[in-house]
Every structure is written in C-alpha cells, then in structure tokens.
PDB file of all heavy atoms in Angstrom:
ATOM      1  N   PHE F  39     280.946 101.227 248.262  1.00  0.00           N
ATOM      2  CA  PHE F  39     281.906 102.038 247.524  1.00  0.00           C
ATOM      3  C   PHE F  39     281.210 102.918 246.517  1.00  0.00           C
ATOM      4  O   PHE F  39     280.090 102.625 246.044  1.00  0.00           O
ATOM      5  CB  PHE F  39     282.902 101.139 246.773  1.00  0.00           C
ATOM      6  CG  PHE F  39     283.800 100.327 247.651  1.00  0.00           C
ATOM      7  CD1 PHE F  39     284.126  99.022 247.304  1.00  0.00           C
ATOM      8  CD2 PHE F  39     284.306 100.826 248.828  1.00  0.00           C
ATOM      9  CE1 PHE F  39     284.962  98.247 248.101  1.00  0.00           C
ATOM     10  CE2 PHE F  39     285.136 100.070 249.634  1.00  0.00           C
ATOM     11  CZ  PHE F  39     285.458  98.774 249.263  1.00  0.00           C
ATOM     12  N   ASP F  40     281.863 104.009 246.136  1.00  0.00           N
ATOM     13  CA  ASP F  40     281.435 104.797 244.992  1.00  0.00           C
ATOM     14  C   ASP F  40     282.053 104.130 243.768  1.00  0.00           C
ATOM     15  O   ASP F  40     283.164 104.476 243.334  1.00  0.00           O
ATOM     16  CB  ASP F  40     281.894 106.258 245.116  1.00  0.00           C
ATOM     17  CG  ASP F  40     281.362 107.154 243.998  1.00  0.00           C
ATOM     18  OD1 ASP F  40     280.995 106.588 242.917  1.00  0.00           O
ATOM     19  OD2 ASP F  40     281.335 108.370 244.159  1.00  0.00           O
ATOM     20  N   PHE F  41     281.353 103.144 243.200  1.00  0.00           N
ATOM     21  CA  PHE F  41     281.949 102.297 242.164  1.00  0.00           C
ATOM     22  C   PHE F  41     282.314 103.097 240.912  1.00  0.00           C
ATOM     23  O   PHE F  41     283.319 102.823 240.284  1.00  0.00           O
ATOM     24  CB  PHE F  41     280.979 101.169 241.813  1.00  0.00           C
ATOM     25  CG  PHE F  41     280.841 100.134 242.896  1.00  0.00           C
ATOM     26  CD1 PHE F  41     279.655 100.022 243.590  1.00  0.00           C
ATOM     27  CD2 PHE F  41     281.894  99.303 243.230  1.00  0.00           C
ATOM     28  CE1 PHE F  41     279.499  99.066 244.603  1.00  0.00           C
ATOM     29  CE2 PHE F  41     281.760  98.348 244.222  1.00  0.00           C
ATOM     30  CZ  PHE F  41     280.558  98.236 244.917  1.00  0.00           C
ATOM     31  N   ASP F  42     281.476 104.069 240.544  1.00  0.00           N
ATOM     32  CA  ASP F  42     281.797 104.893 239.362  1.00  0.00           C
ATOM     33  C   ASP F  42     283.097 105.654 239.556  1.00  0.00           C
ATOM     34  O   ASP F  42     283.976 105.706 238.670  1.00  0.00           O
ATOM     35  CB  ASP F  42     280.668 105.884 239.071  1.00  0.00           C
ATOM     36  CG  ASP F  42     279.476 105.231 238.424  1.00  0.00           C
ATOM     37  OD1 ASP F  42     279.594 104.090 237.934  1.00  0.00           O
ATOM     38  OD2 ASP F  42     278.395 105.842 238.427  1.00  0.00           O
ATOM     39  N   CYS F  43     283.251 106.252 240.727  1.00  0.00           N
ATOM     40  CA  CYS F  43     284.461 107.043 241.021  1.00  0.00           C
ATOM     41  C   CYS F  43     285.703 106.166 241.016  1.00  0.00           C
ATOM     42  O   CYS F  43     286.725 106.523 240.424  1.00  0.00           O
ATOM     43  CB  CYS F  43     284.298 107.752 242.367  1.00  0.00           C
ATOM     44  SG  CYS F  43     285.734 108.753 242.856  1.00  0.00           S
ATOM     45  N   VAL F  44     285.619 104.998 241.667  1.00  0.00           N
ATOM     46  CA  VAL F  44     286.781 104.091 241.737  1.00  0.00           C
ATOM     47  C   VAL F  44     287.137 103.571 240.346  1.00  0.00           C
ATOM     48  O   VAL F  44     288.320 103.534 239.964  1.00  0.00           O
ATOM     49  CB  VAL F  44     286.510 102.922 242.701  1.00  0.00           C
ATOM     50  CG1 VAL F  44     287.684 101.942 242.678  1.00  0.00           C
ATOM     51  CG2 VAL F  44     286.288 103.446 244.116  1.00  0.00           C
ATOM     52  N   TRP F  45     286.112 103.205 239.551  1.00  0.00           N
ATOM     53  CA  TRP F  45     286.368 102.680 238.201  1.00  0.00           C
ATOM     54  C   TRP F  45     287.074 103.741 237.372  1.00  0.00           C
ATOM     55  O   TRP F  45     288.057 103.446 236.675  1.00  0.00           O
ATOM     56  CB  TRP F  45     285.075 102.243 237.536  1.00  0.00           C
ATOM     57  CG  TRP F  45     285.298 101.518 236.263  1.00  0.00           C
ATOM     58  CD1 TRP F  45     285.467 100.136 236.102  1.00  0.00           C
ATOM     59  CD2 TRP F  45     285.420 102.052 234.940  1.00  0.00           C
ATOM     60  NE1 TRP F  45     285.663  99.831 234.769  1.00  0.00           N
ATOM     61  CE2 TRP F  45     285.656 100.983 234.053  1.00  0.00           C
ATOM     62  CE3 TRP F  45     285.362 103.337 234.439  1.00  0.00           C
ATOM     63  CZ2 TRP F  45     285.811 101.168 232.666  1.00  0.00           C
ATOM     64  CZ3 TRP F  45     285.519 103.546 233.053  1.00  0.00           C
ATOM     65  CH2 TRP F  45     285.736 102.455 232.206  1.00  0.00           C
ATOM     66  N   ASN F  46     286.619 104.974 237.407  1.00  0.00           N
ATOM     67  CA  ASN F  46     287.242 106.055 236.628  1.00  0.00           C
ATOM     68  C   ASN F  46     288.663 106.311 237.101  1.00  0.00           C
ATOM     69  O   ASN F  46     289.567 106.586 236.304  1.00  0.00           O
ATOM     70  CB  ASN F  46     286.411 107.333 236.711  1.00  0.00           C
ATOM     71  CG  ASN F  46     285.146 107.238 235.860  1.00  0.00           C
ATOM     72  OD1 ASN F  46     285.175 106.762 234.723  1.00  0.00           O
ATOM     73  ND2 ASN F  46     284.037 107.717 236.395  1.00  0.00           N
ATOM     74  N   GLN F  47     288.877 106.217 238.415  1.00  0.00           N
ATOM     75  CA  GLN F  47     290.219 106.436 238.946  1.00  0.00           C
ATOM     76  C   GLN F  47     291.164 105.337 238.480  1.00  0.00           C
ATOM     77  O   GLN F  47     292.324 105.621 238.131  1.00  0.00           O
ATOM     78  CB  GLN F  47     290.165 106.461 240.477  1.00  0.00           C
ATOM     79  CG  GLN F  47     291.484 106.768 241.139  1.00  0.00           C
ATOM     80  CD  GLN F  47     291.383 106.870 242.672  1.00  0.00           C
ATOM     81  OE1 GLN F  47     290.335 106.602 243.235  1.00  0.00           O
ATOM     82  NE2 GLN F  47     292.483 107.239 243.312  1.00  0.00           N
ATOM     83  N   ILE F  48     290.698 104.092 238.447  1.00  0.00           N
ATOM     84  CA  ILE F  48     291.568 103.000 237.996  1.00  0.00           C
ATOM     85  C   ILE F  48     291.855 103.141 236.506  1.00  0.00           C
ATOM     86  O   ILE F  48     292.995 102.905 236.069  1.00  0.00           O
ATOM     87  CB  ILE F  48     290.891 101.644 238.322  1.00  0.00           C
ATOM     88  CG1 ILE F  48     290.850 101.434 239.812  1.00  0.00           C
ATOM     89  CG2 ILE F  48     291.661 100.495 237.641  1.00  0.00           C
ATOM     90  CD1 ILE F  48     290.081 100.204 240.269  1.00  0.00           C
ATOM     91  N   ARG F  49     290.869 103.532 235.734  1.00  0.00           N
ATOM     92  CA  ARG F  49     291.126 103.735 234.315  1.00  0.00           C
ATOM     93  C   ARG F  49     292.176 104.819 234.103  1.00  0.00           C
ATOM     94  O   ARG F  49     293.038 104.708 233.245  1.00  0.00           O
ATOM     95  CB  ARG F  49     289.818 104.129 233.586  1.00  0.00           C
ATOM     96  CG  ARG F  49     289.949 104.175 232.069  1.00  0.00           C
ATOM     97  CD  ARG F  49     288.604 104.480 231.434  1.00  0.00           C
ATOM     98  NE  ARG F  49     288.683 104.451 229.989  1.00  0.00           N
ATOM     99  CZ  ARG F  49     289.108 105.437 229.232  1.00  0.00           C
ATOM    100  NH1 ARG F  49     289.514 106.567 229.791  1.00  0.00           N
ATOM    101  NH2 ARG F  49     289.138 105.320 227.899  1.00  0.00           N
ATOM    102  N   ASP F  50     292.102 105.885 234.890  1.00  0.00           N
ATOM    103  CA  ASP F  50     293.110 106.943 234.808  1.00  0.00           C
ATOM    104  C   ASP F  50     294.489 106.409 235.182  1.00  0.00           C
ATOM    105  O   ASP F  50     295.505 106.787 234.590  1.00  0.00           O
ATOM    106  CB  ASP F  50     292.735 108.114 235.712  1.00  0.00           C
ATOM    107  CG  ASP F  50     291.549 108.909 235.215  1.00  0.00           C
ATOM    108  OD1 ASP F  50     291.225 108.800 234.008  1.00  0.00           O
ATOM    109  OD2 ASP F  50     290.946 109.674 235.997  1.00  0.00           O
ATOM    110  N   CYS F  51     294.550 105.528 236.182  1.00  0.00           N
ATOM    111  CA  CYS F  51     295.816 104.930 236.587  1.00  0.00           C
ATOM    112  C   CYS F  51     296.408 104.094 235.436  1.00  0.00           C
ATOM    113  O   CYS F  51     297.631 104.121 235.194  1.00  0.00           O
ATOM    114  CB  CYS F  51     295.632 104.026 237.799  1.00  0.00           C
ATOM    115  SG  CYS F  51     295.404 104.898 239.357  1.00  0.00           S
ATOM    116  N   ILE F  52     295.571 103.354 234.728  1.00  0.00           N
ATOM    117  CA  ILE F  52     296.030 102.542 233.597  1.00  0.00           C
ATOM    118  C   ILE F  52     296.649 103.440 232.540  1.00  0.00           C
ATOM    119  O   ILE F  52     297.760 103.167 232.041  1.00  0.00           O
ATOM    120  CB  ILE F  52     294.843 101.710 233.012  1.00  0.00           C
ATOM    121  CG1 ILE F  52     294.395 100.683 234.036  1.00  0.00           C
ATOM    122  CG2 ILE F  52     295.289 101.031 231.724  1.00  0.00           C
ATOM    123  CD1 ILE F  52     293.090  99.995 233.647  1.00  0.00           C
ATOM    124  N   LEU F  53     295.961 104.512 232.204  1.00  0.00           N
ATOM    125  CA  LEU F  53     296.480 105.425 231.181  1.00  0.00           C
ATOM    126  C   LEU F  53     297.783 106.104 231.642  1.00  0.00           C
ATOM    127  O   LEU F  53     298.717 106.255 230.854  1.00  0.00           O
ATOM    128  CB  LEU F  53     295.428 106.491 230.842  1.00  0.00           C
ATOM    129  CG  LEU F  53     294.092 105.959 230.311  1.00  0.00           C
ATOM    130  CD1 LEU F  53     293.156 107.125 229.993  1.00  0.00           C
ATOM    131  CD2 LEU F  53     294.289 105.116 229.063  1.00  0.00           C
ATOM    132  N   GLU F  54     297.805 106.521 232.897  1.00  0.00           N
ATOM    133  CA  GLU F  54     299.004 107.179 233.432  1.00  0.00           C
ATOM    134  C   GLU F  54     300.197 106.257 233.468  1.00  0.00           C
ATOM    135  O   GLU F  54     301.309 106.639 233.053  1.00  0.00           O
ATOM    136  CB  GLU F  54     298.700 107.711 234.843  1.00  0.00           C
ATOM    137  CG  GLU F  54     299.903 108.395 235.503  1.00  0.00           C
ATOM    138  CD  GLU F  54     299.593 108.796 236.942  1.00  0.00           C
ATOM    139  OE1 GLU F  54     298.401 108.873 237.313  1.00  0.00           O
ATOM    140  OE2 GLU F  54     300.560 109.053 237.704  1.00  0.00           O
ATOM    141  N   ALA F  55     300.007 105.061 233.953  1.00  0.00           N
ATOM    142  CA  ALA F  55     301.140 104.115 234.070  1.00  0.00           C
ATOM    143  C   ALA F  55     301.630 103.669 232.702  1.00  0.00           C
ATOM    144  O   ALA F  55     302.839 103.448 232.505  1.00  0.00           O
ATOM    145  CB  ALA F  55     300.728 102.915 234.912  1.00  0.00           C
ATOM    146  N   PHE F  56     300.731 103.510 231.769  1.00  0.00           N
ATOM    147  CA  PHE F  56     301.112 103.125 230.411  1.00  0.00           C
ATOM    148  C   PHE F  56     301.882 104.234 229.719  1.00  0.00           C
ATOM    149  O   PHE F  56     302.909 103.988 229.056  1.00  0.00           O
ATOM    150  CB  PHE F  56     299.876 102.742 229.587  1.00  0.00           C
ATOM    151  CG  PHE F  56     300.178 102.389 228.154  1.00  0.00           C
ATOM    152  CD1 PHE F  56     300.543 101.093 227.810  1.00  0.00           C
ATOM    153  CD2 PHE F  56     300.103 103.355 227.143  1.00  0.00           C
ATOM    154  CE1 PHE F  56     300.823 100.758 226.492  1.00  0.00           C
ATOM    155  CE2 PHE F  56     300.390 103.020 225.827  1.00  0.00           C
ATOM    156  CZ  PHE F  56     300.724 101.726 225.493  1.00  0.00           C
ATOM    157  N   SER F  57     301.436 105.449 229.865  1.00  0.00           N
ATOM    158  CA  SER F  57     301.966 106.569 229.051  1.00  0.00           C
ATOM    159  C   SER F  57     303.136 107.266 229.688  1.00  0.00           C
ATOM    160  O   SER F  57     304.063 107.720 228.987  1.00  0.00           O
ATOM    161  CB  SER F  57     300.844 107.583 228.802  1.00  0.00           C
ATOM    162  OG  SER F  57     299.719 106.968 228.207  1.00  0.00           O
ATOM    163  N   GLY F  58     303.128 107.446 231.017  1.00  0.00           N
ATOM    164  CA  GLY F  58     304.123 108.276 231.668  1.00  0.00           C
ATOM    165  C   GLY F  58     303.723 109.735 231.624  1.00  0.00           C
ATOM    166  O   GLY F  58     302.652 110.080 231.153  1.00  0.00           O
ATOM    167  N   PRO F  59     304.609 110.649 232.091  1.00  0.00           N
ATOM    168  CA  PRO F  59     304.283 112.064 232.093  1.00  0.00           C
ATOM    169  C   PRO F  59     303.952 112.578 230.688  1.00  0.00           C
ATOM    170  O   PRO F  59     304.550 112.140 229.718  1.00  0.00           O
ATOM    171  CB  PRO F  59     305.582 112.705 232.599  1.00  0.00           C
ATOM    172  CG  PRO F  59     306.268 111.641 233.387  1.00  0.00           C
ATOM    173  CD  PRO F  59     305.940 110.366 232.697  1.00  0.00           C
ATOM    174  N   PRO F  60     302.970 113.508 230.563  1.00  0.00           N
ATOM    175  CA  PRO F  60     302.503 113.921 229.256  1.00  0.00           C
ATOM    176  C   PRO F  60     303.533 114.628 228.410  1.00  0.00           C
ATOM    177  O   PRO F  60     303.470 114.626 227.181  1.00  0.00           O
ATOM    178  CB  PRO F  60     301.311 114.864 229.589  1.00  0.00           C
ATOM    179  CG  PRO F  60     301.518 115.280 231.000  1.00  0.00           C
ATOM    180  CD  PRO F  60     302.209 114.121 231.661  1.00  0.00           C
ATOM    181  N   ASP F  61     304.519 115.266 229.037  1.00  0.00           N
ATOM    182  CA  ASP F  61     305.503 116.031 228.278  1.00  0.00           C
ATOM    183  C   ASP F  61     306.729 115.211 227.887  1.00  0.00           C
ATOM    184  O   ASP F  61     307.543 115.640 227.067  1.00  0.00           O
ATOM    185  CB  ASP F  61     305.951 117.272 229.044  1.00  0.00           C
ATOM    186  CG  ASP F  61     306.544 116.915 230.399  1.00  0.00           C
ATOM    187  OD1 ASP F  61     306.308 115.799 230.905  1.00  0.00           O
ATOM    188  OD2 ASP F  61     307.255 117.776 230.971  1.00  0.00           O
ATOM    189  N   SER F  62     306.885 114.026 228.491  1.00  0.00           N
ATOM    190  CA  SER F  62     308.104 113.268 228.220  1.00  0.00           C
ATOM    191  C   SER F  62     307.889 111.765 228.095  1.00  0.00           C
ATOM    192  O   SER F  62     308.675 111.054 227.480  1.00  0.00           O
ATOM    193  CB  SER F  62     309.136 113.522 229.331  1.00  0.00           C
ATOM    194  OG  SER F  62     308.608 113.102 230.594  1.00  0.00           O
ATOM    195  N   GLY F  63     306.827 111.247 228.706  1.00  0.00           N
ATOM    196  CA  GLY F  63     306.615 109.800 228.744  1.00  0.00           C
ATOM    197  C   GLY F  63     307.524 109.135 229.749  1.00  0.00           C
ATOM    198  O   GLY F  63     308.221 109.764 230.514  1.00  0.00           O
ATOM    199  N   GLU F  64     307.500 107.783 229.741  1.00  0.00           N
ATOM    200  CA  GLU F  64     308.353 107.013 230.620  1.00  0.00           C
ATOM    201  C   GLU F  64     308.766 105.743 229.904  1.00  0.00           C
ATOM    202  O   GLU F  64     307.935 105.064 229.302  1.00  0.00           O
ATOM    203  CB  GLU F  64     307.643 106.671 231.924  1.00  0.00           C
ATOM    204  CG  GLU F  64     308.520 105.969 232.950  1.00  0.00           C
ATOM    205  CD  GLU F  64     307.857 105.875 234.311  1.00  0.00           C
ATOM    206  OE1 GLU F  64     306.761 106.431 234.482  1.00  0.00           O
ATOM    207  OE2 GLU F  64     308.437 105.213 235.192  1.00  0.00           O
ATOM    208  N   TYR F  65     310.071 105.425 229.952  1.00  0.00           N
ATOM    209  CA  TYR F  65     310.588 104.311 229.169  1.00  0.00           C
ATOM    210  C   TYR F  65     310.059 102.970 229.703  1.00  0.00           C
ATOM    211  O   TYR F  65     310.014 102.725 230.916  1.00  0.00           O
ATOM    212  CB  TYR F  65     312.119 104.297 229.230  1.00  0.00           C
ATOM    213  CG  TYR F  65     312.744 103.217 228.371  1.00  0.00           C
ATOM    214  CD1 TYR F  65     312.771 103.316 226.989  1.00  0.00           C
ATOM    215  CD2 TYR F  65     313.288 102.095 228.969  1.00  0.00           C
ATOM    216  CE1 TYR F  65     313.344 102.333 226.201  1.00  0.00           C
ATOM    217  CE2 TYR F  65     313.851 101.073 228.191  1.00  0.00           C
ATOM    218  CZ  TYR F  65     313.883 101.207 226.811  1.00  0.00           C
ATOM    219  OH  TYR F  65     314.437 100.216 226.042  1.00  0.00           O
ATOM    220  N   SER F  66     309.659 102.119 228.785  1.00  0.00           N
ATOM    221  CA  SER F  66     309.207 100.784 229.112  1.00  0.00           C
ATOM    222  C   SER F  66     310.211  99.770 228.560  1.00  0.00           C
ATOM    223  O   SER F  66     310.371  99.648 227.340  1.00  0.00           O
ATOM    224  CB  SER F  66     307.846 100.493 228.510  1.00  0.00           C
ATOM    225  OG  SER F  66     307.506  99.129 228.628  1.00  0.00           O
ATOM    226  N   PRO F  67     310.891  99.001 229.433  1.00  0.00           N
ATOM    227  CA  PRO F  67     311.846  98.021 228.957  1.00  0.00           C
ATOM    228  C   PRO F  67     311.227  96.709 228.488  1.00  0.00           C
ATOM    229  O   PRO F  67     311.887  95.862 227.911  1.00  0.00           O
ATOM    230  CB  PRO F  67     312.756  97.782 230.176  1.00  0.00           C
ATOM    231  CG  PRO F  67     311.831  98.020 231.332  1.00  0.00           C
ATOM    232  CD  PRO F  67     310.901  99.105 230.905  1.00  0.00           C
ATOM    233  N   SER F  68     309.905  96.528 228.761  1.00  0.00           N
ATOM    234  CA  SER F  68     309.219  95.307 228.354  1.00  0.00           C
ATOM    235  C   SER F  68     307.728  95.497 228.574  1.00  0.00           C
ATOM    236  O   SER F  68     307.293  96.365 229.349  1.00  0.00           O
ATOM    237  CB  SER F  68     309.686  94.103 229.147  1.00  0.00           C
ATOM    238  OG  SER F  68     309.311  94.224 230.508  1.00  0.00           O
ATOM    239  N   TYR F  69     306.938  94.663 227.905  1.00  0.00           N
ATOM    240  CA  TYR F  69     305.489  94.648 228.165  1.00  0.00           C
ATOM    241  C   TYR F  69     305.235  94.222 229.601  1.00  0.00           C
ATOM    242  O   TYR F  69     304.291  94.706 230.238  1.00  0.00           O
ATOM    243  CB  TYR F  69     304.813  93.670 227.184  1.00  0.00           C
ATOM    244  CG  TYR F  69     304.646  94.216 225.788  1.00  0.00           C
ATOM    245  CD1 TYR F  69     305.652  94.087 224.824  1.00  0.00           C
ATOM    246  CD2 TYR F  69     303.481  94.896 225.443  1.00  0.00           C
ATOM    247  CE1 TYR F  69     305.496  94.606 223.563  1.00  0.00           C
ATOM    248  CE2 TYR F  69     303.312  95.416 224.161  1.00  0.00           C
ATOM    249  CZ  TYR F  69     304.326  95.255 223.222  1.00  0.00           C
ATOM    250  OH  TYR F  69     304.181  95.755 221.963  1.00  0.00           O
ATOM    251  N   GLN F  70     306.038  93.305 230.117  1.00  0.00           N
ATOM    252  CA  GLN F  70     305.821  92.827 231.481  1.00  0.00           C
ATOM    253  C   GLN F  70     305.976  93.957 232.501  1.00  0.00           C
ATOM    254  O   GLN F  70     305.226  94.057 233.457  1.00  0.00           O
ATOM    255  CB  GLN F  70     306.822  91.686 231.789  1.00  0.00           C
ATOM    256  CG  GLN F  70     306.548  90.391 231.059  1.00  0.00           C
ATOM    257  CD  GLN F  70     307.188  90.331 229.676  1.00  0.00           C
ATOM    258  OE1 GLN F  70     307.517  91.360 229.108  1.00  0.00           O
ATOM    259  NE2 GLN F  70     307.333  89.104 229.158  1.00  0.00           N
ATOM    260  N   LYS F  71     307.027  94.792 232.292  1.00  0.00           N
ATOM    261  CA  LYS F  71     307.228  95.910 233.218  1.00  0.00           C
ATOM    262  C   LYS F  71     306.077  96.917 233.136  1.00  0.00           C
ATOM    263  O   LYS F  71     305.661  97.469 234.179  1.00  0.00           O
ATOM    264  CB  LYS F  71     308.545  96.604 232.890  1.00  0.00           C
ATOM    265  CG  LYS F  71     308.891  97.762 233.829  1.00  0.00           C
ATOM    266  CD  LYS F  71     308.972  97.320 235.293  1.00  0.00           C
ATOM    267  CE  LYS F  71     309.320  98.456 236.207  1.00  0.00           C
ATOM    268  NZ  LYS F  71     309.268  98.062 237.631  1.00  0.00           N
ATOM    269  N   THR F  72     305.539  97.116 231.960  1.00  0.00           N
ATOM    270  CA  THR F  72     304.395  98.010 231.817  1.00  0.00           C
ATOM    271  C   THR F  72     303.188  97.471 232.575  1.00  0.00           C
ATOM    272  O   THR F  72     302.491  98.212 233.249  1.00  0.00           O
ATOM    273  CB  THR F  72     304.052  98.218 230.317  1.00  0.00           C
ATOM    274  OG1 THR F  72     305.140  98.875 229.691  1.00  0.00           O
ATOM    275  CG2 THR F  72     302.769  99.038 230.158  1.00  0.00           C
ATOM    276  N   VAL F  73     302.938  96.178 232.471  1.00  0.00           N
ATOM    277  CA  VAL F  73     301.829  95.552 233.191  1.00  0.00           C
ATOM    278  C   VAL F  73     302.023  95.731 234.709  1.00  0.00           C
ATOM    279  O   VAL F  73     301.082  96.127 235.422  1.00  0.00           O
ATOM    280  CB  VAL F  73     301.732  94.059 232.836  1.00  0.00           C
ATOM    281  CG1 VAL F  73     300.832  93.306 233.814  1.00  0.00           C
ATOM    282  CG2 VAL F  73     301.191  93.889 231.419  1.00  0.00           C
ATOM    283  N   ASN F  74     303.240  95.494 235.211  1.00  0.00           N
ATOM    284  CA  ASN F  74     303.496  95.641 236.637  1.00  0.00           C
ATOM    285  C   ASN F  74     303.350  97.094 237.075  1.00  0.00           C
ATOM    286  O   ASN F  74     302.826  97.361 238.171  1.00  0.00           O
ATOM    287  CB  ASN F  74     304.893  95.129 236.959  1.00  0.00           C
ATOM    288  CG  ASN F  74     305.251  95.287 238.430  1.00  0.00           C
ATOM    289  OD1 ASN F  74     305.960  96.208 238.809  1.00  0.00           O
ATOM    290  ND2 ASN F  74     304.744  94.390 239.283  1.00  0.00           N
ATOM    291  N   ARG F  75     303.787  98.009 236.251  1.00  0.00           N
ATOM    292  CA  ARG F  75     303.663  99.435 236.584  1.00  0.00           C
ATOM    293  C   ARG F  75     302.211  99.832 236.738  1.00  0.00           C
ATOM    294  O   ARG F  75     301.842 100.572 237.653  1.00  0.00           O
ATOM    295  CB  ARG F  75     304.341 100.266 235.484  1.00  0.00           C
ATOM    296  CG  ARG F  75     304.477 101.748 235.797  1.00  0.00           C
ATOM    297  CD  ARG F  75     305.206 102.427 234.651  1.00  0.00           C
ATOM    298  NE  ARG F  75     306.621 102.025 234.615  1.00  0.00           N
ATOM    299  CZ  ARG F  75     307.363 102.044 233.510  1.00  0.00           C
ATOM    300  NH1 ARG F  75     306.834 102.393 232.346  1.00  0.00           N
ATOM    301  NH2 ARG F  75     308.630 101.695 233.584  1.00  0.00           N
ATOM    302  N   ILE F  76     301.351  99.310 235.879  1.00  0.00           N
ATOM    303  CA  ILE F  76     299.912  99.586 235.981  1.00  0.00           C
ATOM    304  C   ILE F  76     299.364  99.037 237.295  1.00  0.00           C
ATOM    305  O   ILE F  76     298.664  99.716 238.036  1.00  0.00           O
ATOM    306  CB  ILE F  76     299.158  98.939 234.791  1.00  0.00           C
ATOM    307  CG1 ILE F  76     299.466  99.710 233.500  1.00  0.00           C
ATOM    308  CG2 ILE F  76     297.657  98.923 235.048  1.00  0.00           C
ATOM    309  CD1 ILE F  76     298.955  99.040 232.249  1.00  0.00           C
ATOM    310  N   GLN F  77     299.708  97.791 237.633  1.00  0.00           N
ATOM    311  CA  GLN F  77     299.183  97.168 238.830  1.00  0.00           C
ATOM    312  C   GLN F  77     299.645  97.885 240.097  1.00  0.00           C
ATOM    313  O   GLN F  77     298.865  98.100 241.029  1.00  0.00           O
ATOM    314  CB  GLN F  77     299.597  95.702 238.867  1.00  0.00           C
ATOM    315  CG  GLN F  77     298.969  94.860 237.750  1.00  0.00           C
ATOM    316  CD  GLN F  77     299.549  93.473 237.695  1.00  0.00           C
ATOM    317  OE1 GLN F  77     300.766  93.291 237.673  1.00  0.00           O
ATOM    318  NE2 GLN F  77     298.692  92.456 237.675  1.00  0.00           N
ATOM    319  N   MET F  78     300.920  98.247 240.132  1.00  0.00           N
ATOM    320  CA  MET F  78     301.468  98.923 241.306  1.00  0.00           C
ATOM    321  C   MET F  78     300.808 100.274 241.517  1.00  0.00           C
ATOM    322  O   MET F  78     300.501 100.676 242.657  1.00  0.00           O
ATOM    323  CB  MET F  78     302.977  99.084 241.150  1.00  0.00           C
ATOM    324  CG  MET F  78     303.739  97.774 241.199  1.00  0.00           C
ATOM    325  SD  MET F  78     303.602  96.925 242.817  1.00  0.00           S
ATOM    326  CE  MET F  78     304.602  98.006 243.836  1.00  0.00           C
ATOM    327  N   LEU F  79     300.550 101.018 240.416  1.00  0.00           N
ATOM    328  CA  LEU F  79     299.923 102.329 240.557  1.00  0.00           C
ATOM    329  C   LEU F  79     298.468 102.192 241.016  1.00  0.00           C
ATOM    330  O   LEU F  79     298.018 102.945 241.886  1.00  0.00           O
ATOM    331  CB  LEU F  79     300.006 103.089 239.230  1.00  0.00           C
ATOM    332  CG  LEU F  79     299.531 104.538 239.277  1.00  0.00           C
ATOM    333  CD1 LEU F  79     300.402 105.363 240.222  1.00  0.00           C
ATOM    334  CD2 LEU F  79     299.546 105.166 237.859  1.00  0.00           C
TER     335      LEU F  79
END
C-alpha cells in the first residue's frame, strides 16, 4: 500500500466526518453518532 497516502486520506475523513460541510457543518446528536460517522466514512 501507499501508506502515507492512505493515512492522510483517513485523517481527512476524520476531519470531514467530525466537522461536516465547511459552510454549514452537520448536526451531531451524540458523541456516539459522531464516532460512527467517522468509521462509516
């Protein structure tokens, strides 16, 4: 694998799933849902 590329991509997924779209965000009903959203992405 290209480990550097995959690691950076996963880090971007964590930030994206936690934050939501940059202009509006995304509502989080719980910490648990945020964790699941990160894993699914």
